[in-house]
Amino acid sequence: MGKRMIRMFDTTLRDGEQAPGNAMTPEQKLEIALMLEEAGVNTIETGFPASSRADFLATQMISEHLTTASFSTFSRAQVKDVKTAIEAGGVSDRHIVMLAATGSDLHLKNKRNITREQGIAEVTEAVAYAKEQGIANITVGIEDASRGAYDYIGAITKASIEAGANQIILADTTGFATPASFGDLVRFVREVAGPAIKISVHCHNDLGLGVANAIAGVQAGADEIQATLGGIGERAGNTSLEQVAALLYYKSDEYGLETSVQLDKLYEGYLLLSEVIQLEESRTQPLFGKYVFSTAAGMHQQGMLNDPDTYEYVKPRDLGRDRSLLVTRHSGRTIIRHLLHDLGVSHSDEDVNHLYDKFIFKQHSSLCDDLVTFREKIMQELQHQTAEVGVS
């Protein structure tokens, strides 16, 4: 049996941008969108056109320049929002109009102050309007679906499809769900919606389960994962695009799933995003952290020098990154022997011990040299020793 293709929907430019400090200009959004398209992302969300002139312009620019990826606009379940989104993105098979539905009683009462019936009515009206305008791809995103009652989620799903929607998004808006509960929700909606309707999952990372919940969703029958580059987004962020793509790459046979995303092209986009929004560099963020492909402990370095697989399952080359060995106070004598051998210098245990004591053991805990820097230190020390021998 062949693998099932999971579509990747990027919401960096909309949900990711909503978080504090993440604002982007339309021109910056376009540049990032083109890099995401080049990396094989299927759909790119441009923004919320009715919210600002900047998002309206970004939608116009991105829709005009994308050639292979589709694009999506975000709207509230209001006809006026849908009208603005269509004005910005136009009517085409590549324009996905996404409407946000209120999915939990908590949100209906305390955020919207409307009834379930009113929530369903506004969605069906907005969907019907989009269909009347000739939009072929209409998505209803059910906000806070993970905390919604099944009977209400089922009613929104049925009403949306009857009005003309061909895709349902289930959002774990507050990071409330667990993989088990989210999988159950997806299975329920799949049964209600039937096989012809696409189901997308949109998860947040408040409990660190954004990726796990998204994977549970597609295992339960969802067709698409919504994610952001670097996992940026409200509060603790969204499902990480690169982490999901890497997981489905490395575990493709195990899950029977695959994506069109090219892993080695995501890091370049992340660097651009980080520059644009001045994102602080993490040391340990999976895949993109500063030191995630670096090794400093002596025991680990000994294994890595013998065979990188000893401490490396995810390969840096697959992410367009490089492996590095760093010299810190936790490094051992193995790294010194390695460099001496690399330099073609014959040495005794006494020589190695001398270099270890001088450059590692007696150094301050802040020591952190790359191999090029540490190699230069050893070369200078060897030259100094040679000069002393010559003088004597």
Side-chain angles (χ1 to χ4, degrees), residues 81-350:
D81 278 15
V82 177
K83 182 178 180 181
T84 303
I86 294 173
E87 289 174 355
V91 177
S92 73
D93 290 342
R94 294 175 53 246
H95 183 185
I96 299 169
V97 171
M98 186 176 77
L99 312 172
T102 305
S104 68
D105 290 323
L106 176 64
H107 277 212
L108 285 168
K109 178 182 178 181
N110 296 331
K111 175 187 173 184
R112 300 292 313 286
N113 192 28
I114 60 175
T115 65
R116 288 185 174 186
E117 291 73 23
Q118 288 172 314
I120 293 174
E122 67 179 13
V123 170
T124 54
E125 181 186 11
V127 170
Y129 175 79
K131 187 174 182 180
E132 290 169 1
Q133 303 309 305
I135 297 296
N137 295 301
I138 305 169
T139 298
V140 172
I142 305 178
E143 185 181 18
D144 206 29
S146 55
R147 293 194 292 180
Y150 273 30
D151 61 339
Y152 179 52
I153 298 296
I156 295 178
T157 299
K158 288 180 180 178
S160 298
I161 294 170
E162 290 172 359
N166 54 10
Q167 183 167 348
I168 300 294
I169 303 166
L170 298 173
D172 181 30
T173 304
T174 63
F176 165 84
T178 62
S181 68
F182 200 62
D184 287 343
L185 176 63
V186 171
R187 277 185 284 271
F188 168 74
V189 172
R190 171 56 73 199
E191 184 175 346
V192 171
I197 300 299
K198 297 176 184 176
I199 295 178
S200 183
V201 293
H202 179 109
C203 300
H204 282 259
N205 207 37
D206 298 73
L207 288 176
L209 295 173
V211 171
N213 287 338
I215 294 297
V218 295
Q219 287 181 301
D223 307 286
E224 179 181 81
I225 293 174
Q226 298 197 353
T228 62
L229 195 56
I232 68 168
E234 294 278 7
R235 303 179 312 280
N238 291 45
T239 299
S240 160
L241 173 64
E242 67 276 6
Q243 290 175 35
V244 165
L247 188 58
L248 293 182
Y249 173 80
Y250 285 107
K251 302 293 185 181
S252 181
D253 291 337
E254 180 179 335
Y255 291 153
L257 305 171
E258 60 184 346
T259 77
S260 60
V261 173
Q262 300 179 55
L263 280 181
D264 61 346
K265 294 187 177 181
L266 290 178
Y267 187 59
E268 185 179 0
Y270 174 73
L271 293 178
L272 172 61
L273 173 67
S274 298
E275 180 182 352
V276 167
I277 65 174
Q278 299 182 11
L279 188 64
E280 298 86 351
E281 185 173 28
S282 166
R283 295 181 181 180
T284 57
Q285 179 183 350
L287 308 178
F288 287 170
K290 181 177 182 180
Y291 293 132
V292 296
F293 294 115
S294 301
T295 305
M299 290 174 56
H300 290 194
Q301 290 179 339
Q302 182 174 356
M304 292 286 287
L305 288 169
N306 291 333
D307 181 356
D309 283 351
T310 54
Y311 288 99
E312 189 179 82
Y313 172 62
V314 177
K315 306 301 180 191
R317 65 176 179 272
D318 293 338
L319 276 299
R321 301 198 62 187
D322 297 317
R323 177 188 305 120
S324 66
L325 300 180
L326 300 176
V327 181
T328 74
R329 68 183 185 88
H330 298 292
S331 299
R333 293 169 176 80
T334 296
I335 198 68
I336 295 174
R337 292 192 181 95
H338 168 74
L339 287 174
L340 289 173
H341 181 269
D342 190 51
L343 289 167
V345 176
S346 59
H347 55 275
S348 63
D349 288 344
E350 183 179 352

Side-chain angles (χ1 to χ4, degrees), residues 363-380:
Q363 292 299 309
H364 191 270
S365 61
S366 62
L367 167 69
C368 186
D369 287 340
D370 57 41
L371 283 192
V372 173
T373 301
F374 194 69
R375 176 190 175 112
E376 291 175 353
K377 286 182 178 180
I378 288 181
M379 290 177 62
Q380 290 174 3

Side-chain angles (χ1 to χ4, degrees), residues 29-78:
K29 283 190 173 187
L30 173 60
E31 189 175 5
I32 293 170
L34 291 175
M35 295 187 78
L36 289 167
E37 180 182 53
E38 178 67 21
V41 172
N42 303 106
T43 302
I44 298 166
E45 191 173 13
T46 63
F48 181 1
S51 70
S52 69
R53 181 63 180 169
D55 274 17
F56 188 97
L57 291 174
T59 298
Q60 284 186 319
M61 294 168 64
I62 293 171
S63 65
E64 291 172 358
H65 286 83
L66 293 181
T67 56
T68 58
S70 58
F71 66 95
S72 177
T73 51
F74 179 90
S75 298
R76 292 168 296 185
Q78 298 181 9

